[in-house]
Amino acid sequence: MPVDYSGTWDIVSNVNFEGYMVALGIDFATRKIASMLKPQKVIKQDGDCFTIRTFTTFRNYENSFQIGEEVKEVTKGMDNRTCQSVVNWENDKLVCVQKGEKKNRGWTHWIKGDELHLELTCEDQVCKQIYKRTL
Ligand code: VL7
């Protein structure tokens, strides 16, 4: 088994979250609130079974998956779309493809030193987030 993503992670940088939200069609008022948030990720990894919980003061999002299994994902509390999602290992990276109405949608996680990195992609927009372990 490659890397262990398990832990509690706090966001320390968030680049082009606005562009990502616009690509998802999030309305102006919601974007203004969302742009102020400091998400925390709580990740549980048990072999190829994952739960990623994203917590904010506004909304939370929970996603459980097994590597290589395509499942229906409803992005409840975000853009509320339905995707066919699958997460695979690409070396030590976790790569999710979210097939649905939006082209080129997905995300990639990797760990670099003590940082958890996340790229969120939708259409031509890429949001780059970095998290650090809670102390
Ligand atoms: C990505 C939110 C913006 C709507 C609310 C903002 C609440 C927190 O896909 C995600 O995580 C993956 C990778 O770690 C695992 O599920 C969550 C959050 C991006 C998109 C949409 C703004 C309204 C944000 C729930």
Side-chain angles (χ1 to χ4, degrees):
M1 194 49 49
V3 196
D4 190 6
Y5 285 82
S6 295
T8 302
W9 305 86
D10 288 335
I11 198 160
V12 293
S13 88
N14 195 359
V15 174
N16 197 36
F17 190 47
E18 171 69 10
Y20 176 73
M21 289 194 288
V22 169
L24 285 176
I26 307 300
D27 68 82
F28 179 85
T30 305
R31 293 203 311 273
K32 292 307 124 188
I33 296 166
S35 69
M36 303 296 291
L37 301 172
K38 299 287 174 205
Q40 182 182 66
K41 298 262 182 200
V42 178
I43 303 180
K44 290 199 179 352
Q45 178 178 350
D46 179 13
D48 275 351
C49 290
F50 285 77
T51 300
I52 301 182
R53 291 185 177 86
T54 307
F55 293 106
T56 74
T57 54
F58 180 49
R59 286 174 194 164
N60 303 319
Y61 188 68
E62 176 173 335
N63 186 18
S64 293
F65 56 88
Q66 199 168 318
I67 296 294
E69 293 214 339
E70 187 167 275
V71 290
K72 179 173 126 171
E73 178 181 13
V74 179
T75 58
K76 190 166 149 33
M78 299 198 283
D79 58 320
N80 300 301
R81 284 190 177 86
T82 301
C83 307
Q84 280 298 124
S85 300
V86 62
V87 183
N88 279 293
W89 289 113
E90 283 186 17
N91 299 307
D92 286 347
K93 290 191 178 187
L94 277 181
V95 179
C96 178
V97 176
Q98 294 169 310
K99 220 184 328 155
E101 180 184 340
K102 289 290 175 183
K103 297 299 164 208
N104 194 37
R105 181 170 185 173
W107 53 259
T108 299
H109 268 298
W110 67 96
I111 288 174
K112 185 177 174 187
D114 62 345
E115 295 172 344
L116 174 72
H117 289 242
L118 173 61
E119 262 181 19
L120 295 155
T121 304
C122 183
E123 297 177 329
D124 62 343
Q125 297 297 310
V126 181
C127 168
K128 177 69 201 290
Q129 300 183 338
I130 301 174
Y131 294 78
K132 289 204 168 151
R133 284 191 191 276
T134 51
L135 302 177

